């Protein structure tokens, strides 16, 4: 048996190189095998199995109810599909905040059981020690600053963060501390474009923005939002690249009509 394993997925080294060369990093979320295959075949750099799973796939009002088992289940499905992109799995609420020991064990499960290559966790300097421990154990960590949806109740809603000078300074310091602790990249969510540009300039690791302007090293969106799967509220920072909600409804309505009228299946869909 060969001892060499095939490594074709993008790595943390690849994304760091992309920052150095000025090539923008593309990241989208996926939660299942089918969508992950499409994103991978389209050439996306990173697939995030986000805990936005809670909102877009499981129908919760927030990400707070999402469990480790939910995240592992969906990360495993994504991993089975992906050959080229890097897979980052989100650590759900209370899977890393309670103790360093459970944080490390839970993070490790994404690599051991679900074939992810990295984890993402929300929060600033208070998690620096945990980020350091994970990195030291061989678990790459993507940090997440600015609007951190798991803290929605503490933040008082889904609002732009770092608008005032002192709040901006805290986010800047957190980014530097997390880089120092070993994070290989940082998501900046809903922060002013100027602050995101300054952080991007100050760090040697890549920044990946969502609602953080064009100067980040990369961009991320929730796949359901950018495909227009949802006909309800869409945040200002989302661009709809397709209108699948309407497209799917149109297809389903046509199917219903054709079945009711006996037009489907036609001769070519039937066996003689
Ligand atoms: O859970 C998620 O999808 C995320 C992205 C919005 C960055 O954290």
């Amino acid at each position: 048996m060969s001892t060499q394993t095939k490594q074709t997925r993008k790595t943390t080294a690849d994304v760091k190189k992309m920052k150095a060369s000025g090539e923008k990093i593309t990241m989208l979320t996926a939660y299942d095998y089918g969508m992950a295959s499409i994103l991978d075949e389209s050439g996306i750099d990173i697939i995030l199995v986000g805990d936005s799973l809670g909102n877009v796939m499981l129908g919760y009002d927030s990400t707070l109810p999402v469990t480790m088992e939910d995240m592992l289940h969906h990360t495993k499905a994504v991993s089975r599909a992906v050959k080229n992109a890097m897979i980052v799995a989100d650590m759900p609420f209370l899977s890393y905040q309670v103790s360093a020991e459970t944080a490390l064990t839970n993070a490790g499960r994404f690599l051991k059981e679900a074939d992810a290559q990295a984890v993402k966790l929300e929060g600033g300097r208070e998690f620096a020690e945990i980020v350091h421990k994970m990195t030291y154990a061989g678990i790459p960590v993507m940090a997440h600053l600015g609007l951190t949806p798991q803290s929605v109740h503490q933040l008082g809603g889904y609002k732009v963060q770092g608008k005032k000078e002192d709040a901006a300074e805290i986010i800047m310091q957190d980014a530097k501390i997390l880089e120092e602790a070993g994070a290989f990249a940082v998501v900046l969510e809903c922060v002013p474009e100027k602050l995101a540009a300054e952080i991007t300039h100050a760090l040697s690791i890549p920044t990946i923005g969502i609602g953080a302007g064009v100067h980040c090293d990369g961009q991320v969106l929730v796949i359901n939002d950018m495909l227009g799967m949802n006909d309800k509220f869409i945040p200002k920072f989302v661009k709809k690249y397709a209108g699948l909600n309407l497209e799917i409804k149109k297809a389903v309505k046509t199917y219903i009509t054709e079945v009711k009228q006996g037009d489907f299946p036609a001769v070519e869909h039937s066996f003689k």
Side-chain angles (χ1 to χ4, degrees):
M1 199 179 78
S2 165
T3 52
Q4 266 193 328
T5 52
K6 204 165 50 153
Q7 173 64 68
T8 56
R9 285 193 195 154
K10 292 215 165 76
T11 64
T12 56
D14 291 322
V15 296
K16 281 185 190 162
K17 264 190 233 151
M18 288 167 83
K19 171 166 181 132
S21 70
E23 182 183 346
K24 294 276 187 184
I25 299 161
T26 56
M27 179 158 103
L28 284 169
T29 65
Y31 317 96
D32 62 52
Y33 179 88
M35 187 59 78
S37 305
I38 296 172
L39 300 191
D40 199 41
E41 287 161 13
S42 306
I44 200 77
D45 295 313
I46 305 177
I47 293 181
L48 171 68
V49 189
D51 63 352
S52 49
L53 166 77
N55 306 87
V56 297
M57 301 298 284
L58 303 180
Y60 297 130
D61 281 344
S62 74
T63 57
L64 301 185
V66 176
T67 65
M68 271 301 293
E69 298 315 316
D70 293 332
M71 289 304 304
L72 284 167
H73 181 70
H74 287 267
T75 306
K76 285 179 193 175
V78 166
S79 290
R80 283 181 213 119
V82 174
K83 296 187 176 60
N84 305 307
M86 176 179 190
I87 300 177
V88 179
D90 239 343
M91 300 217 52
F93 183 53
L94 293 190
S95 69
Y96 60 96
Q97 294 94 335
V98 176
S99 73
E101 204 174 297
T102 51
L104 196 57
T105 309
N106 283 331
R109 290 188 69 193
F110 284 108
L111 275 64
K112 263 173 99 92
E113 297 173 35
D115 197 22
Q117 285 145 290
V119 298
K120 175 168 84 56
L121 57 84
E122 296 178 10
R125 66 198 72 190
E126 60 280 20
F127 296 108
E129 199 187 320
I130 283 173
V131 170
H132 179 72
K133 280 197 162 79
M134 288 177 184
T135 308
Y136 190 72
I139 304 168
V141 182
M142 180 178 278
H144 183 155
L145 294 171
L147 172 55
T148 47
Q150 291 178 17
S151 307
V152 59
H153 297 308
Q154 208 165 28
L155 299 175
Y158 298 99
K159 298 174 187 162
V160 178
Q161 301 295 307
K163 286 211 269 193
K164 296 206 174 114
E165 216 171 287
D166 50 347
E169 185 51 32
I170 290 173
I171 297 174
M172 169 66 90
Q173 283 174 11
D174 280 347
K176 288 181 179 167
I177 291 169
L178 290 166
E179 171 174 25
E180 183 66 28
F184 76 94
V186 54
V187 167
L188 297 174
E189 179 164 353
C190 285
V191 298
E193 186 177 53
K194 181 169 168 287
L195 173 61
E198 285 166 3
I199 295 174
T200 301
H201 186 68
L203 300 188
S204 66
I205 57 171
T207 58
I208 301 189
I210 174 163
V214 73
H215 303 293
C216 294
D217 299 302
Q219 296 292 327
V220 57
L221 284 174
V222 168
I223 188 71
N224 296 52
D225 292 345
M226 65 88 77
L227 292 179
M229 295 281 283
N230 184 355
D231 63 351
K232 299 180 188 80
F233 169 75
I234 288 286
K236 172 184 159 76
F237 57 78
V238 172
K239 177 172 176 183
K240 276 194 193 179
Y241 286 84
L244 291 197
N245 186 286
L246 286 181
E247 278 298 306
I248 293 170
K249 279 182 184 151
K250 211 168 96 189
V252 172
K253 281 182 181 165
T254 307
Y255 169 76
I256 292 170
T257 306
E258 290 193 358
V259 171
K260 299 263 186 207
Q261 291 176 348
D263 293 337
F264 177 82
V267 177
E268 65 268 30
H269 309 117
S270 308
F271 299 103
K272 284 244 176 335

